[in-house]
Amino acid sequence: MHRKTIRTAACAISVAMIAASSLSGCGSSLSEVNSSESIETASNSTETASTAEEEAGGEAPEGAPGEAPGGPGGGPGGAAESTSKVSVTEGEWSFDLITTGEGDNATVTSTITYYAGKTAEVVIVPSVLGGAPVTEISSQAFGHHGEIMAVYVPDTVTKVDEWAFYDLNTASIISFANPDVEIDDAAFQSSGNADLYLPEGTSTTEAGGKTVISDGTELINLEIENSESAAIAGGNYLNVSSSADYSISVDDIASIAVSASGEESDVSYADGKISFSGDAYVAEEEVVEINDKFADKVSANDLVKTLWYLSEDDAKELNEKIASDESYSEVKSLLNYEEGYYINGNKVELADDCIAYDVKTGEEVEKDSETEHFSDTGIGSYKYMTYEDSDNDGKIDVIYYSPYGVNYSYETTTISSSNENLDGLSARDTLNPNYLSFANAVVKASGEGNEVHEDSLIASTSDDGNKVEADSNEERSIIWASDYASVSVDHVEGTSTSKANWAKMSYVNSLSAYNVEIAMEWGMNALLYATNGGSVTAGSLDGETSVFTANGDGANGVIAGGSGSKAGTADAPSDTANVKVYNAEFNLEGWNNHVADCVYGGYAYLEKVKSTTGKKGSYSVGQASAVANDFGNGVVDVVDFDTTVYGNRSAGGYVIGGGVITAKNSSFTSIVDSALVIASGGTYKVSDSKLTGMIGIRNRGGINMDSTSTFDNVSVTVNRDFSDYVTGDTAKKAVEAWQKASGDTKLIHYMMSDADMTIGQLCDNYDISEADKKTLLSTLSELAGESYTDDTPLRNSVLDNTYYNYSAGQYTGDTDYSDVPYLTVGSAYGGLVSSVMEFESAGENLEFTGSTFTNNNGEDYDYLIASEAGSAPVINFTDSTASGIIWNEGDVNRVVEGMSEDRSSSLTVNFDSTDFEGSFADGSNGLWEVDELSYTNGNGEESSLNGNYYGAESNYGITASFSGDSKWTVTHDSYLGSLTISDNASIEAPDGYELKMTVDGKETKIENGTYTGKVIITLVKK
């Protein structure tokens, strides 16, 4: 028997809440809690009504914020027109068909929720889906598409939600044909290279941080006849005709058409007109029914797993298919199948007396009479399943087959909370069940009213709880609370060796290519996991210290995401999904291991917590920022938090989008990255804390001047010390040896980050011959000064030295391994200045009060601020002390996130009652040659200049002001576009020097006032 293709819907239905039984009789190791009531739910049809929210008032309670508000958080408003929703998937498009009103007065529209394509460089968004006009594009509909170069949106679309076009790293065109389209300011987060096009005559000049472009465009039209009989169709678009590579034609628009029947004969196209015949489109409304006999065993949420059986020939055929598939061949060692049963791609064993049931009818399902095996899901009558191991012996006793599909549809909610950072925050009510189907835990509690408390828990993901899931040890948590359940434990010792097998998740979900973001976005094997309004509390301020360790891919400390369906109402048992940790230590050594990461409205509170992420001396355990809110509007609050992070692309904190991270009495140290990173308008509120990194505070991913981060009584220190890492010529020779052996510099991320990966296994995975492996080991041994063998771990070896290329999702040796002391080089991000504050294609407001700044790179490289690659930040200093070089890169053509483009930088800096000792540099103006320094810059030229790696031209883009009793002591020649000196402020020269100022070449006396133009202040020795 050959295994048939597993087909999984890309989006899904809303699934009902489940109620879990209470946990009892638990000792040092708790069993999983996952029993639930039987339910019958119209799973993809919901009735909604408009509500008028009331703000929750009063002071925030003492202790950890984030509890459900004491007063009403909202309630029913006046009468409103009813709406209903059906979630559907057609081809690569998942969408909600929304009906407003009733009878003859009803209107039907489509909202796109997900685009599942993986190969198209140019994407034409349909103007008709399910026979209805497409009017809205929802959050994350186009998230994480590195292949897309252009997106064309039809004139039917009137609204674009936040994060709709998130992380399109390579896209250069996003075109809208509707001149009045409403675009959320956060619609293009982390898609900084894409230009925004609207038709001529639009009143919109800027949207989502992008300036509107109308030049080089033309409106093109395809007339549609009988659109109600179309499953997919396209109409009117704004073609970017100036782009020969990514322009579209009427023929291209016509090519996306699919009739409601799916028959090609029902579609005709001629003379700029496309016609559909046949019956009108009818959305199939799916109702999940569960037989009464399974009332305490199965819920709709459980019915999301796949089952298939492989014979020996099936397994051989499948492995050959994977090895020959360009999209999956590089991860074949993670997808190596053999004879047996598989649930979600993990091999399982069935008990001899295993029995199967149809969950809808309650009838027993017999084995296939020919194969004598239970049927695969995804084919025939059964689409999904769940299972039971009643005696927890690792053998499955019961299979529950489901005839229902899984279509993901979430509601956007508004959180109501006494926590000011959470209150009013936009969130998703539920996370994607396609991906959550891979998640599991030692302790799981699900359903409102299920409250679990234990004094102590000692657990390991590979040993405890459900044996079937422990044996696979993938995507596994210690504690998981979902759907308003809560779990609290006073003392926890949790160990996770679980790995996020993103290749397997991609393959089983029928994605056309594996997607690292699956593991990053959903974090399914966090030690502490809260979803859809669930609550987890671990540790006690006055008790024994809890300890958490993990070394697998994606084995985070904390993940919280999804607000729950009642968010913003008085009925919500919790504000949102939340995890609170007290008096704990985290030691996380895997790739992408955050101490706390909150997504889509999730919340985390950490107090009296110490942590490390990554591993000292290893680049390969990167992407491990200690606190973060990836992929959505999460909030993290920390108090008395102390963290050190290792590994490339690993910051102490990483805040993005509408998210907020607050810190009090805390310390963030990043060894080879930034203490804190701000991306796409995220916000920090930091007080009484210490920040230390190779860069102090870094801002990337777009200009958002509506966002302001505040720092009160904060010290920021720059240390650049690679003494524990392999750099320079040694690193270069190691990569050259690998390239000679393997034929490429590439090392796939999962191999680099695998805690158990050895150099011998690495060579086997890349089919390196014994002779070439022997040469490689000999060369690496010579470079390391010690003997390397097949069993030498990859981590911390001389080959563990490359920079992680986030955009491409792979490691690469294509860097110059520069030892230039102020520069970080490599990956798609190019060169970054080791500065107290560094901005790359970004800008927001930073406000410092009572703060200090130290750069230990030495006088020649004492950068306070570096504004690069099209940045435009505003930095305000009040009652602070600052020194160093404030540098504006100017005008340059350089690569950011894989895109080469002309970029023009600027910056504004304001000093109020602050002493500044330093200078302003612009392009190469104001920089200087350094004795005994020689390096090759980004243009391939030998240089000894202490900056301007890419040879940018000055543009006099610096605006500076001094007010209050501020004093500027000028240490080097300075170049500005605008200078304001208010009353009581002063500018002084060091002892032995005097100052000279020219404005547009004309010598000008320095006195109070504002000067604009080419403002140059030079030091003249007396």
Side-chain angles (χ1 to χ4, degrees), residues 757-805:
M757 181 63 65
T758 64
I759 295 178
Q761 181 62 52
L762 185 70
C763 289
D764 290 345
N765 290 343
Y766 279 87
D767 300 320
I768 294 173
S769 69
E770 285 297 320
D772 287 337
K773 180 174 68 173
K774 184 177 180 181
T775 301
L776 173 65
L777 289 171
S778 175
T779 303
L780 297 180
S781 298
E782 183 179 350
L783 292 171
E786 60 180 282
S787 178
Y788 276 21
T789 69
D790 279 16
D791 296 328
T792 299
L794 178 59
R795 284 191 180 178
N796 295 97
S797 71
V798 293
L799 196 54
D800 174 10
N801 57 56
T802 53
Y803 290 83
Y804 182 64
N805 184 329

Side-chain angles (χ1 to χ4, degrees), residues 16 54 63 123 157 174 208 242 318 397 417 544 572 600 620 758 821 856 885 943 967 994 1021:
E54 299 177 12
V123 177
V157 172
I174 301 179
S242 60
L318 182 57
D397 306 311
S417 176
E544 185 178 357
Y600 302 125
S620 67
T758 64
N856 290 323
I885 305 166
S943 178
K967 181 176 70 173
E994 60 185 7
K1021 195 168 186 178

Side-chain angles (χ1 to χ4, degrees), residues 113-369:
T113 56
Y114 187 66
Y115 167 67
K118 292 295 177 184
T119 59
E121 289 188 333
V122 178
V123 177
I124 298 175
V125 177
S127 63
V128 175
L129 283 171
V134 175
T135 60
E136 185 172 348
I137 299 177
S138 67
S139 176
Q140 285 277 20
F142 288 90
H144 319 302
H145 283 274
E147 81 283 2
I148 292 178
M149 299 301 296
V151 183
Y152 287 92
V153 182
D155 63 351
T156 56
V157 172
T158 60
K159 184 179 180 183
V160 179
D161 293 343
E162 61 182 3
W163 297 67
F165 297 94
Y166 173 67
D167 201 24
L168 304 190
N169 290 308
T170 59
S172 58
I173 295 170
I174 301 179
S175 168
F176 293 90
N178 181 354
D180 300 318
V181 62
E182 178 187 338
I183 301 173
D184 189 276
D185 278 341
F188 310 118
Q189 301 281 17
S190 294
S191 299
N193 290 310
D195 289 327
L196 171 62
Y197 291 88
L198 267 76
E200 291 184 358
T202 180
S203 60
T204 302
T205 58
E206 184 274 340
K210 296 181 180 296
T211 300
V212 169
I213 301 172
S214 299
D215 295 340
T217 64
E218 61 176 352
L219 289 167
I220 56 175
N221 169 252
L222 176 65
E223 184 181 350
I224 305 176
E225 187 174 81
N226 288 336
S227 61
E228 65 272 13
S229 296
I232 304 172
N236 305 330
Y237 298 86
L238 180 69
N239 181 35
V240 182
S241 51
S242 60
S243 175
D245 292 334
Y246 307 117
S247 63
I248 60 173
S249 65
V250 173
D251 289 347
D252 294 327
I253 300 170
S255 70
I256 73 172
V258 177
S259 70
S261 67
E263 300 292 336
E264 292 185 10
S265 59
D266 284 338
V267 181
S268 61
Y269 166 56
D271 301 324
K273 179 179 179 180
I274 194 160
S275 300
F276 296 89
S277 56
D279 294 336
Y281 187 95
V282 177
E284 295 185 9
E285 183 173 349
E286 186 171 66
V287 178
V288 177
E289 299 177 17
I290 297 176
N291 192 273
D292 289 343
K293 70 168 65 176
F294 306 130
D296 298 325
K297 297 182 180 297
V298 181
S299 77
N301 279 356
D302 299 325
L303 300 172
V304 289
K305 299 183 185 296
T306 62
L307 172 73
W308 27 284
Y309 177 81
L310 297 176
S311 68
E312 184 177 352
D313 288 341
D314 293 336
K316 181 180 178 181
E317 181 180 340
L318 182 57
N319 289 332
E320 290 173 351
K321 177 184 176 183
I322 292 169
S324 63
D325 185 337
E326 184 178 348
S327 297
Y328 285 91
S329 59
E330 292 171 326
V331 291
K332 58 181 180 291
S333 66
L334 288 182
L335 298 169
N336 189 21
Y337 294 106
E338 56 189 29
E339 183 179 3
Y341 283 100
Y342 289 82
I343 291 180
N344 276 12
N346 293 320
K347 191 175 182 183
V348 296
E349 187 175 356
L350 272 55
D352 292 339
D353 57 351
C354 182
I355 191 168
Y357 295 101
D358 183 313
V359 76
K360 177 180 179 181
T361 65
E363 296 176 355
E364 185 175 340
V365 178
E366 300 292 341
K367 293 180 179 179
D368 185 276
S369 58

Side-chain angles (χ1 to χ4, degrees), residues 636-931:
V636 182
D637 293 332
V638 300
V639 177
D640 294 331
F641 179 74
D642 187 337
T643 190
T644 300
V645 299
Y646 303 97
N648 63 86
R649 317 298 308 159
S650 298
Y654 191 102
V655 67
I656 190 168
V660 179
I661 295 177
T662 74
K664 297 179 181 179
N665 302 316
S666 296
S667 175
F668 296 84
T669 300
S670 174
I671 303 302
V672 291
D673 203 277
S674 306
L676 301 179
V677 171
I678 307 167
S680 304
T683 303
Y684 282 107
K685 299 178 181 180
V686 183
S687 62
D688 303 315
S689 297
K690 297 179 180 180
L691 313 177
T692 304
M694 188 174 62
I695 297 170
I697 300 170
R698 184 175 174 227
N699 185 199
R700 58 169 295 269
I703 296 173
N704 190 330
M705 299 318 298
D706 293 329
S707 177
T708 299
S709 289
T710 59
F711 303 86
D712 185 9
N713 191 28
V714 171
S715 67
V716 189
T717 302
V718 168
N719 286 323
R720 189 174 189 275
D721 181 5
F722 282 132
S723 59
D724 293 313
Y725 293 82
V726 181
T727 59
D729 193 50
T730 302
K732 186 175 183 180
K733 289 179 178 178
V735 171
E736 287 172 348
W738 172 252
Q739 183 177 20
K740 184 177 180 180
S742 68
D744 201 343
T745 58
K746 184 167 60 177
L747 284 173
I748 294 299
H749 125 264
Y750 80 87
M751 295 182 184
M752 291 293 288
S753 60
D754 185 346
D756 300 321
M757 181 63 65
T758 64
I759 295 178
Q761 181 62 52
L762 185 70
C763 289
D764 290 345
N765 290 343
Y766 279 87
D767 300 320
I768 294 173
S769 69
E770 285 297 320
D772 287 337
K773 180 174 68 173
K774 184 177 180 181
T775 301
L776 173 65
L777 289 171
S778 175
T779 303
L780 297 180
S781 298
E782 183 179 350
L783 292 171
E786 60 180 282
S787 178
Y788 276 21
T789 69
D790 279 16
D791 296 328
T792 299
L794 178 59
R795 284 191 180 178
N796 295 97
S797 71
V798 293
L799 196 54
D800 174 10
N801 57 56
T802 53
Y803 290 83
Y804 182 64
N805 184 329
Y806 178 88
S807 302
Q810 65 188 26
Y811 283 83
T812 174
D814 296 332
T815 79
D816 63 4
Y817 299 99
S818 173
D819 285 323
V820 179
Y822 59 87
L823 197 67
T824 303
V825 297
S827 87
Y829 293 91
L832 306 175
V833 172
S834 178
S835 177
V836 174
M837 283 166 270
E838 194 276 339
F839 300 83
E840 185 192 32
S841 295
E844 65 169 46
N845 299 295
L846 303 186
E847 295 187 353
F848 297 91
T849 303
S851 297
T852 60
F853 311 89
T854 304
N855 190 326
N856 290 323
N857 284 335
E859 183 178 351
D860 288 325
Y861 314 108
D862 182 12
Y863 279 83
L864 177 64
I865 301 170
S867 177
E868 306 175 73
S871 295
V874 175
I875 303 99
N876 300 309
F877 298 94
T878 303
D879 295 322
S880 298
T881 301
S883 65
I885 305 166
I886 296 178
W887 179 59
N888 174 53
E889 184 178 40
D891 297 335
V892 68
N893 184 286
R894 62 180 277 191
V895 175
V896 175
E897 294 186 348
M899 184 69 68
S900 178
E901 194 172 280
D902 290 333
R903 306 175 191 275
S904 184
S905 300
S906 63
L907 71 90
T908 300
V909 57
N910 302 306
F911 298 90
D912 182 10
S913 302
T914 294
D915 288 345
F916 171 58
E917 184 176 340
S919 61
F920 295 91
D922 186 57
S924 293
N925 292 336
L927 301 178
W928 56 90
E929 308 286 335
V930 178
D931 293 340

